[in-house]
Amino acid sequence: MIDRLPGLVNGDAALVRRGRFLTCDFLVEVGDVAYHVSVEQGRIASVTLGPASMRPWRFAIRAVEEAWREFWQPVPRPGYHDLFALTRFGHARIEGDLLPLMANLRYIKEVLETPRRLARSA
């Protein structure tokens, strides 16, 4: 589902506008699979699959695949409904430089929640 972020985010003008001050790369790890997400002024420039040890990122959000699957349900269960709920209940970890994440928290949360739209439309 992460690989569909560019279409989901870039097609949402309000979300792109909300993230217009953010340009950075971050890592989303779904189980053992790492995705490098590159954001340029609120638009998802690319989502790159696979390990790239020399590619820098500002922060990483890591969770097991089952946690992400539950997070992306149309109406997730309590404890899986929010990025910080995932971390609070030990389902996910956030690492790295938290400044760009916290400064753009609503945008990042909404970006990571956009795959829920796919589940709703299915």
Side-chain angles (χ1 to χ4, degrees):
M1 290 206 185
I2 288 286
D3 55 333
R4 298 181 68 181
L5 280 183
L8 291 168
V9 172
N10 297 342
D12 185 335
L15 186 54
V16 170
R17 185 176 191 290
R18 187 165 297 120
R20 68 188 180 277
F21 300 114
L22 178 65
T23 297
C24 81
D25 290 351
F26 62 95
L27 184 76
V28 177
E29 205 169 85
V30 180
D32 295 331
V33 181
Y35 296 88
H36 290 262
V37 180
S38 180
V39 179
E40 293 181 11
Q41 298 178 332
R43 300 185 67 80
I44 303 295
S46 66
V47 175
T48 307
L49 171 68
S53 59
M54 297 303 288
R55 186 170 179 176
W57 43 265
R58 297 284 301 272
F59 60 89
I61 302 167
R62 304 173 196 271
V64 296
E65 186 174 346
E66 294 79 24
W68 284 115
R69 194 176 309 124
E70 187 63 38
F71 179 78
W72 288 322
Q73 291 296 311
V75 181
R77 291 184 297 151
Y80 294 89
H81 65 285
D82 180 76
L83 185 60
F84 284 100
L86 288 174
T87 60
R88 180 170 183 217
F89 291 101
H91 304 300
R93 293 185 333 254
I94 299 174
E95 303 169 355
D97 180 7
L98 299 185
L99 181 61
L101 171 66
M102 297 308 285
N104 299 279
L105 185 58
R106 183 172 175 191
Y107 171 77
I108 297 295
K109 283 181 162 185
E110 291 184 13
V111 163
L112 293 175
E113 291 171 2
T114 56
R116 290 178 183 166
R117 297 176 189 167
L118 298 173
R120 287 184 189 129
S121 63

